[in-house]
Amino acid sequence: MRTKLGLVAAVATFATVLALGTPTDASTPAPDTAPPDTAAEPVDTLSEAPPPATTLPPLVIDGAADADVTLSPRTGKEQVQVEPVPPPPIPPEWVVPANSGTGRRVVYSKSRQRLWVIDSAGNMIKTHRVSGRQTPLDPRPGTYQVFSRSRYTYSINNPTIKWGYMVRFAHGARGGNIGFHEIPTQYGRPVQSVSQLGQALSGGCVRQAIPDAIWMWNWAYVGTKVVTLA
């Protein structure tokens, strides 16, 4: 019985060897029998790298580049010379009229219904629209000085018309005082609007918006020069 079982095992072993084939040496790699898929593996094309640049392109700051100008590699510590930007043009209303005197003064133009304030160094420090009188009188063109000031005042001919920050510098043809002040009120209502400043609407005095009247009150003390132009 044992002989038959041993014979059967030997026959099974011999059949397994025939089915698997002869073992190969593990140190020898088996050939790759799959055909290479050349279409799936693109070939990289190598090219020679360009030489490193020795200069940088010109630096352009708000202008056109100069083809002949090159810069060395920057380290971050250089200073770039830039042409200064020209100042913006001065608006016409900021230009003080010619032949308007010298020194610390107020210049009042009746034709333009505007005044300019100039400090002792000759600098124009303020300008704003006003409402005065257009005729040659009240006041006449000339040079005056502030002679009195009143925080509150009213019209002698019509006491219902009131105003503040009165800075007097001239007299009218009929003897009345002429000065810079805020827009008057009658029965508590302004006699004109701020948007109407720039028009000749008063009987001779120079009306201003309240902030401008306060500014003039603080700046034009007694003795301040006032130049009135036609």
Side-chain angles (χ1 to χ4, degrees):
M1 183 66 179
R2 291 180 178 177
T3 305
K4 289 182 179 181
L5 291 176
L7 180 60
V8 171
V11 172
T13 301
F14 181 75
T16 301
V17 171
L18 291 177
L20 296 177
T22 304
T24 59
D25 187 41
S27 61
T28 304
D32 186 2
T33 58
D37 187 2
T38 56
E41 296 292 338
V43 179
D44 291 336
T45 302
L46 301 179
S47 60
E48 185 179 357
T54 57
T55 59
L56 295 178
L59 179 65
V60 181
I61 302 177
D62 295 336
D66 187 346
D68 296 330
V69 177
T70 58
L71 297 178
S72 300
R74 297 175 58 81
T75 63
K77 299 181 180 180
E78 298 87 346
Q79 293 184 352
V80 179
Q81 185 69 30
V82 180
E83 284 292 330
V85 179
I90 299 176
E93 61 269 19
W94 289 14
V95 178
V96 181
N99 302 320
S100 60
T102 59
R104 187 181 188 274
R105 67 196 186 279
V106 179
V107 178
Y108 165 45
S109 171
K110 300 179 67 174
S111 61
R112 297 172 62 176
Q113 290 299 298
R114 174 175 289 275
L115 61 79
W116 298 261
V117 181
I118 295 90
D119 65 12
S120 57
N123 301 311
M124 191 273 291
I125 58 175
K126 183 169 174 53
T127 178
H128 56 265
R129 295 177 301 128
V130 298
S131 284
R133 188 170 182 174
Q134 190 68 58
T135 65
L137 300 178
D138 298 337
R140 296 178 182 274
T143 300
Y144 303 87
Q145 284 187 339
V146 174
F147 61 84
S148 72
R149 296 153 32 104
S150 297
R151 176 63 183 84
Y152 301 99
T153 189
Y154 60 91
S155 171
I156 296 176
N157 298 327
N158 189 347
T160 63
I161 301 177
K162 304 175 182 179
W163 60 87
Y165 305 104
M166 177 67 163
V167 180
R168 302 176 185 88
F169 65 90
H171 295 94
R174 298 181 181 180
N177 295 322
I178 295 177
F180 306 111
H181 58 71
E182 67 179 351
I183 295 174
T185 60
Q186 187 172 25
Y187 307 114
R189 300 181 61 181
V191 300
Q192 74 168 82
S193 65
V194 173
S195 63
Q196 289 176 314
L197 291 171
Q199 305 176 42
L201 299 176
S202 83
C205 280
V206 185
R207 301 172 181 172
Q208 308 166 103
I210 291 179
D212 295 329
I214 295 174
W215 191 96
M216 185 64 71
W217 167 265
N218 291 325
W219 191 85
Y221 48 76
V222 173
T224 298
K225 184 193 302 185
V226 178
V227 179
T228 300
L229 305 176

